[in-house]
Amino acid sequence: ALRTYLRELGELPTRPLIALVPMSTRPEGDPGGGNAFGAVLASLGTDIEEPLERLEAVTASMTAAKSQVAGMGQLAAVGYTSLLAAPMLAQVGLAAVGAPLPGPFSFNLIVSNVPGPREDRYFRGSRLEAMYPASLQIDAAALNVTLLSYAGSLNIGFSGDRDAVPHLQRLALGLAQAWESLRSATS
């Protein structure tokens, strides 16, 4: 959907867009409390026209990034994430004094997956129908795409800077068409 959106705007770059992807660093079986997360960079394959090849490229990029972080301890993962997230930290300081942001950054957007409850939730006997994510927006990444699961469904939220990502609803609407293109390519 992002590739089609950018192509329609005449803004599709020749190099793939890179996503900052937060990920859990908690070891399997660790019941610990609080957050244990880091982040990786992943190519979104926006330079690849064929949907299945693009999916394979994204999968390979995420697999390589995850394996890199998996070999790190928690402290190293936090340090690595801090380096990747430095543009977000710089944004706060520069915005406070009205200075422009330097660029380009190491990533173009943020893509996140938040696991929600696996079973239905109720409030005073009424079933919660769906949950949708609302994500942070930063200048260093003009678009944030967050996936949130709930009771066997998956909902996607798009948050974007209206100047940098005009007509954001087109991206959301294009998702169904992109999904169908991918399904057709796999059958």
Side-chain angles (χ1 to χ4, degrees):
L2 186 55
R3 177 182 163 75
T4 300
Y5 170 79
L6 290 170
R7 190 180 63 232
E8 287 173 356
L9 291 176
E11 298 289 335
L12 181 63
T14 56
R15 296 179 56 173
L17 293 182
I18 304 296
L20 178 76
V21 183
M23 61 177 274
S24 173
T25 58
R26 187 175 309 287
E28 193 167 329
D30 178 2
N35 291 325
F37 67 92
V40 295
L41 297 178
S43 169
L44 295 183
T46 51
D47 59 326
I48 302 170
E49 187 171 347
E50 203 278 312
L52 194 52
E53 287 179 35
R54 188 169 47 252
L55 177 62
E56 290 168 353
V58 173
T59 300
S61 179
M62 271 305 293
T63 300
K66 284 181 175 182
S67 67
Q68 182 178 14
V69 173
M72 298 179 186
Q74 181 63 34
L75 187 57
V78 169
Y80 178 72
T81 299
S82 296
L83 287 174
L84 296 178
M88 292 184 286
L89 302 174
Q91 175 187 351
V92 174
L94 293 172
V97 296
L101 285 175
F105 297 113
S106 55
F107 58 91
N108 308 102
L109 68 152
I110 298 171
V111 177
S112 184
N113 174 38
V114 180
R118 293 182 181 195
E119 60 283 328
D120 288 329
R121 297 288 194 215
Y122 294 85
F123 180 71
R124 294 186 169 189
S126 296
R127 182 180 161 281
L128 178 65
E129 295 289 325
M131 293 177 72
Y132 292 90
S135 300
L136 297 173
Q137 193 57 52
I138 60 170
D139 287 340
L143 177 63
N144 187 318
V145 181
T146 302
L147 294 81
L148 176 63
S149 62
Y150 169 65
S153 66
L154 184 64
N155 293 305
I156 302 171
F158 296 92
S159 300
D161 175 306
R162 87 173 84 187
D163 294 326
V165 190
H167 315 293
L168 186 59
Q169 69 277 11
R170 283 193 209 165
L171 182 57
L173 293 172
L175 196 57
Q177 181 181 359
W179 178 252
E180 196 51 47
S181 294
L182 186 59
R183 285 174 41 116
S184 296
T186 60
S187 48

